[in-house]
Amino acid sequence: MVLDKFIQWAGIATFAGLTTTSVHAQKQPNIVIILLDDMGYGDLSVTGASGYKTPHIDRLCNEGMRFTNFYSAQAVSSASRSGLMTGCYPNRIGFSGALWPNSKTGIHPDEVTLGEMLQEQGYYCGAIGKWHLGDAPQFYPTNNGFREYFGLMFSNDMWPFHPSNHYFNFGNLPLYENNQVIDANVEPKDQEQLTTQYTERAVRFIQSNKDRPFFLYLAHSMPHVPLYVSDKFKGKSEQGLYGDVMMEIDWSVGEVLRTLKESGLEENTLVLFTSDNGPWMTYGNHAGSTGGLRESKGSSFEGGQRVPCIVRWPGTVPAGTICNQLASAIDIWPTLAGLSGASLPSHTIDGVDILPLMRNVPGANPRKYFLYYYQINSLEAIRNERFKLVLPHPGMNTDGCVPGNDGKPGHTKGNYPFPFALYDLRNDPGERYDVQSQHPEVITELMSIVRTTRDDLGDELTGKPGKDRRPIGSVQ
């Protein structure tokens, strides 16, 4: 989109004017991204969690910046991760939904991942945890910018123990180290150790690479169902198994922070903590909390895509600050490119450089709009700094539906027809009150962007193919 390209250029120009001298005068910062799976907006102490505490994540907030209007790239796993890894809306690069085991598609070799971009700038890159961008060899992390990998190639529920496996027919769940399967059949007792194993690997990675710039991508498999926890935290929360799992993940964050400090890297490391999408509310007591936002994972309403994001970088990100400006996971790519000295790719990306926001620069506001795409390529909503315009679309509706319990999913209303509506997110983050009759000028503004977007990225709902979309990678 012409508008997005202008905003992107303006953000990078602002960054260059503010930081060219300071960034290149100091050692390249290490980068740690901690990504959770299906964590909701309300799942941290600082956002209202009850029955358990997250003191180490709270410490990240106290020592860094918390974003209150931060969005995952899409409200489902593979699509969301593709946006984080490439700086693009997932539908621009052919991604939708969650890839299944033995998928014939995955990340395209022409896309430039965070690992590839940072490796070109001299970073040693490692990925730990859930990948979910394709499980054929050409899609492996080790073939897409990461020198090391340990984890699961897809979701931890894609295995024979899935409660609906009679329908899905999932095979065994394999655990990988680099490009080799080291456990062909992960079982429940193994999942109990996953968070601990990921954490131990992360600690080892930091210690082994403390004398060179590194990028660690730590993508936890939980709190996605099925939930498992080690004996260290079993029964420790007042909220049951979900609280236990969140407490163990918080411990993991604490171990990463401790290792950075003990290795003398705390001051020169950017740590970013977020989630791939909102909670899977149909799983009831095994799901997290949206903090009062509408709907959840699998929906373009706020509960599906507005997620916690915390950034700490001592000396650069002011401690104890809150950013209310609009930002997204697709903005991480150009932000890290800017601070590492990398150039933008020759193809279109959709992210903008948000380092001015992280620096708390007065007046900084690099992202003006955010697009909510879902399904294959359906534009379901758009928002600006204050208002969100919901476009007519069918979707999942959980209103009045009884959630599941103890690992079993409940029911939802599929293909529910959501009407055209305008919500004032400043006053109504729960998206309850349609105010389109009061703000016709806002609808005119947002619909102008919608028309431009449909030409550029397409829209399945209105039969627009889009002129600047790229294919997903495929197995030949």
Side-chain angles (χ1 to χ4, degrees):
M1 294 171 60
V2 174
L3 178 65
D4 278 348
K5 290 178 181 176
F6 171 77
I7 295 170
Q8 177 177 296
W9 176 88
I12 290 169
T14 301
F15 165 77
L18 288 166
T19 66
T20 298
T21 302
S22 59
V23 166
H24 292 289
Q26 67 181 15
K27 182 181 176 183
Q28 284 179 301
N30 304 303
I31 299 163
V32 176
I33 294 179
I34 302 174
L35 182 71
L36 271 59
D37 197 341
D38 289 5
M39 177 185 67
Y41 192 85
D43 282 341
L44 307 175
S45 300
V46 295
T47 57
S50 60
Y52 62 90
K53 299 293 185 183
T54 54
H56 299 293
I57 300 170
D58 295 351
R59 176 188 160 197
L60 270 183
C61 292
N62 293 334
E63 298 176 354
M65 174 179 286
R66 179 167 66 91
F67 286 78
T68 63
N69 284 281
F70 188 90
Y71 290 83
S72 64
Q74 208 173 104
V76 64
S77 182
S78 294
S80 173
R81 289 157 201 270
S82 73
L84 169 66
M85 273 292 144
T86 65
C88 298
Y89 285 115
N91 46 306
R92 187 180 294 284
I93 60 174
F95 266 87
S96 63
L99 297 180
W100 283 33
N102 304 310
S103 173
K104 299 298 183 183
T105 59
I107 189 75
H108 196 283
D110 291 345
E111 300 300 335
V112 182
T113 68
L114 280 173
E116 289 169 327
M117 178 266 287
L118 290 170
Q119 187 170 261
E120 283 292 314
Q121 300 308 304
Y123 281 76
Y124 188 86
C125 303
I128 298 170
K130 178 180 173 180
W131 179 241
H132 219 181
L133 295 177
D135 64 340
Q138 70 195 67
F139 308 133
Y140 288 176
T142 49
N143 289 325
N144 287 279
F146 293 92
R147 300 287 295 276
E148 299 180 17
Y149 175 65
F150 175 83
L152 305 179
M153 288 290 181
F154 39 83
S155 297
N156 67 328
D157 68 334
M158 295 179 174
W159 66 336
F161 303 98
H162 193 287
S164 301
N165 202 44
H166 61 280
Y167 175 77
F168 294 125
N169 195 29
F170 290 123
N172 291 339
L173 177 65
L175 179 69
Y176 284 76
E177 181 160 19
N178 297 324
N179 58 355
Q180 300 293 324
V181 174
I182 61 172
D183 184 350
N185 184 21
V186 170
E187 297 183 347
K189 61 181 176 57
D190 303 311
Q191 288 225 41
E192 291 178 358
Q193 301 305 314
L194 268 185
T195 300
T196 296
Q197 284 184 296
Y198 291 171
T199 305
E200 291 172 347
R201 293 287 180 136
V203 166
R204 195 182 315 164
F205 179 89
I206 294 168
Q207 292 170 336
S208 299
N209 295 288
K210 63 182 180 181
D211 295 324
R212 57 182 169 185
F214 64 78
F215 168 41
L216 171 61
Y217 174 53
L218 174 55
H220 281 288
S221 292
M222 295 179 219
H224 190 291
V225 291
L227 299 178
Y228 288 97
V229 70
S230 72
D231 289 340
K232 296 189 299 295
F233 291 92
K234 193 173 293 183
K236 298 296 184 181
S237 84
E238 297 175 3
Q239 200 197 91
L241 185 54
Y242 191 90
D244 297 347
V245 168
M246 285 302 300
M247 288 178 68
E248 185 159 37
I249 290 172
D250 180 73
W251 162 82
S252 176
V253 172
E255 288 296 286
V256 169
L257 299 181
R258 177 187 61 79
T259 306
L260 290 172
K261 184 173 184 177
E262 291 178 355
S263 301
L265 303 173
E266 186 175 48
E267 297 299 313
N268 196 45
T269 301
L270 183 157
V271 178
L272 187 147
F273 173 91
T274 189
S275 179
D276 69 338
N277 47 246
W280 208 349
M281 295 299 289
T282 186
Y283 276 89
N285 65 342
H286 280 202
S289 166
T290 66
L293 301 176
R294 184 177 179 181
E295 290 296 340
S296 60
K297 172 181 176 176
S299 167
S300 54
F301 287 101
E302 294 296 283
Q305 277 188 260
R306 195 191 296 199
V307 293
C309 180
I310 306 162
V311 179
R312 188 193 76 169
W313 186 9
T316 300
V317 176
T321 50
I322 292 177
C323 180
N324 296 317
Q325 301 298 94
L326 194 55
S328 170
I330 63 176
D331 300 330
I332 294 172
W333 201 106
T335 303
L336 298 186
L339 69 87
S340 68
S343 300
L344 294 179
S346 57
H347 54 235
T348 303
I349 67 170
D350 301 291
V352 297
D353 188 340
I354 59 171
L355 191 59
L357 295 182
M358 295 181 186
R359 288 178 170 272
N360 206 25
V361 174
N365 187 24
R367 174 165 291 285
K368 305 296 185 184
Y369 303 97
F370 181 76
L371 306 172
Y372 302 74
Y373 270 91
Y374 199 61
Q375 305 299 342
I376 302 299
N377 190 35
S378 296
L379 180 58
E380 297 187 349
I382 179 175
R383 73 159 290 183
N384 61 16
E385 299 162 69
R386 178 175 175 180
F387 292 95
K388 179 176 179 179
L389 181 64
V390 174
L391 303 166
H393 69 275
M396 178 186 70
N397 184 1
T398 61
D399 283 353
C401 297
V402 178
N405 206 35
D406 295 340
K408 298 280 175 66
H411 297 285
T412 61
K413 303 170 188 173
N415 293 315
Y416 185 87
F418 291 106
F420 191 90
L422 183 72
Y423 298 106
D424 182 349
L425 295 181
R426 180 184 300 170
N427 299 323
D428 177 27
E431 299 171 279
R432 298 291 189 267
Y433 308 103
D434 184 357
V435 296
Q436 60 177 298
S437 63
Q438 300 173 12
H439 299 282
E441 76 289 351
V442 175
I443 293 176
T444 299
E445 172 200 343
L446 293 178
M447 283 304 299
S448 174
I449 304 299
V450 165
R451 287 189 289 271
T452 305
T453 295
R454 285 171 172 162
D455 288 339
D456 181 45
L457 278 168
D459 179 16
E460 201 174 43
L461 294 169
T462 54
K464 296 282 188 177
K467 62 186 178 183
D468 194 6
R469 296 175 63 209
R470 304 191 290 272
I472 194 170
S474 62
V475 175
Q476 300 301 319

